[in-house]
Amino acid sequence: DAKTTQPNSMESNEEEPVHLPCNHSTISGTDYIHWYRQLPSQGPEYVIHGLTSNVNNRMASLAIAEDRKSSTLILHRATLRDAAVYYCILRDVGGTSYGKLTFGQGTILTVHP
Amino acid sequence: DTEVTQTPKHLVMGMTNKKSLKCEQHMGHRAMYWYKQKAKKPPELMFVYSYEKLSINESVPSRFSPECPNSSLLNLHLHALQPEDSALYLCASSRTGRNYGYTFGSGTRLTVV
């Protein structure tokens, strides 16, 4: 499985934007870039995913480098509820119908009031 | 219904007990997954079911036995577990195909005594 590299931790202030980086230099052409977050004592929550183009949804934006070797999750205005572990994952679909989602260590985001 | 429901939320079992974890979704997802998560670690994939058939077993010990009786239900049967099997067990589901995210349940916190 192609691997991702994320900073162990990041800090932000409430109502400021947060840019969470992810490196995936061995990404293959069939890998989708997924982001999930996990709040304490909860299961992971889907945030966003993309293949080549930048993506926006109600939770966040995903900026994908042109060579696809890195990506950035953007939270436009952090709130205290955004404090979580954020996982950048390459979903390997290949020839299967389901793919595999293999979690790395993730980034612990702390949001200060 | 956009949820994955896991029961029970907490389970304490002895090493000689037999118990089962249950996972249910009504989103029409045909891929379902079991993950195991130890404290302060990322989730680790255990099993993948696609169209009710076991597609991936990540070399999980036979004391864990998955079952997918229908497209909405996924069970994990537990027998003769060890204290080191204590963890959060997460179920997830997804549409098949390349372009979909996973929906996770909130997990079952298992303690083996």
Side-chain angles (χ1 to χ4, degrees), chain B residues 44-71:
Chain B
E44 296 178 356
L45 182 65
M46 300 175 72
F47 301 105
V48 178
Y49 273 83
S50 176
Y51 295 97
E52 297 84 68
K53 287 186 172 32
L54 182 64
S55 300
I56 292 180
N57 176 341
E58 294 283 81
S59 302
V60 178
S62 60
R63 57 185 183 269
F64 295 91
S65 175
E67 178 196 23
C68 190
N70 59 57
S71 60

Side-chain angles (χ1 to χ4, degrees), chain A:
Chain A
D1 296 334
K3 294 196 182 301
T4 62
T5 304
Q6 299 178 252
N8 289 334
S9 63
M10 291 186 64
E11 297 187 16
S12 173
N13 294 317
E14 204 174 8
E15 298 192 3
E16 290 185 355
V18 181
H19 290 235
L20 296 164
C22 181
N23 287 318
H24 30 79
S25 58
T26 60
I27 191 170
S28 73
T30 56
D31 287 336
Y32 277 75
I33 302 160
H34 282 239
W35 284 83
Y36 290 76
R37 70 181 186 182
Q38 188 171 22
L39 280 66
S41 301
Q42 294 189 24
E45 176 188 25
Y46 167 81
V47 177
I48 200 166
H49 77 281
L51 184 62
T52 56
S53 304
N54 295 344
V55 184
N56 300 296
N57 66 21
R58 62 174 181 82
M59 289 182 70
S61 296
L62 176 60
I64 301 173
E66 196 169 334
D67 63 4
R68 300 210 325 128
K69 294 182 186 295
S70 65
S71 61
T72 302
L73 179 71
I74 303 165
L75 307 179
H76 296 285
R77 290 184 66 200
T79 70
L80 296 178
R81 290 170 52 187
D82 291 322
V85 181
Y86 285 78
Y87 295 101
C88 169
I89 306 167
L90 301 183
R91 182 179 181 187
D92 173 17
V93 177
T96 71
S97 63
Y98 48 83
K100 281 175 63 172
L101 211 63
T102 303
F103 287 77
Q105 294 303 311
T107 296
I108 301 171
L109 175 66
T110 302
V111 180
H112 299 288

Side-chain angles (χ1 to χ4, degrees), chain B residues 95-106:
Chain B
R95 291 186 183 186
T96 56
R98 299 161 57 88
N99 198 17
Y100 301 102
Y102 285 29
T103 303
F104 281 83
S106 56

